[in-house]
Amino acid sequence: MGKIEKGVNCSVIGCKNQAERSLSKEKLAGSGLSVSGDRRVYLCHEHYKEYKKATKKDRELDRVRFR
Ligand SMILES: [Zn+2]
């Protein structure tokens, strides 16, 4: 996990950037990103940031809910 081969494009639909990260598609559930691909998806720098932001927000919401 983490580093991927060069020349892979971001899996987010409509994005043409070069991917920096690979993730399992399950991890993107709840991130709000529309991706193509089956089990493994690739994210560019921008979308990885977006993914991290989205999932962080989810965790914060959970924390508030359980307080
Ligand atoms: Zn992208």
Side-chain angles (χ1 to χ4, degrees):
M1 290 283 279
K3 285 200 171 183
I4 57 170
E5 285 177 51
K6 286 194 172 179
V8 182
N9 284 339
C10 179
S11 299
V12 175
I13 291 161
C15 181
K16 299 269 195 283
N17 292 332
Q18 191 170 33
E20 283 191 353
R21 305 277 178 158
S22 72
L23 296 165
S24 68
K25 199 171 187 179
E26 284 174 13
K27 292 199 171 187
L28 286 176
S31 70
L33 295 172
S34 303
V35 294
S36 57
D38 282 329
R39 293 179 184 172
R40 187 136 296 271
V41 296
Y42 302 95
L43 294 181
C44 65
H45 187 72
E46 284 302 307
H47 281 120
Y48 186 69
K49 269 198 328 205
E50 218 172 283
Y51 153 77
K52 281 213 303 195
K53 227 165 73 179
T55 51
K56 189 181 167 209
K57 203 186 287 172
D58 280 349
R59 278 201 294 276
E60 281 170 3
L61 286 175
D62 282 345
R63 212 188 301 143
V64 170
R65 204 181 301 147
F66 290 122
R67 199 174 271 162

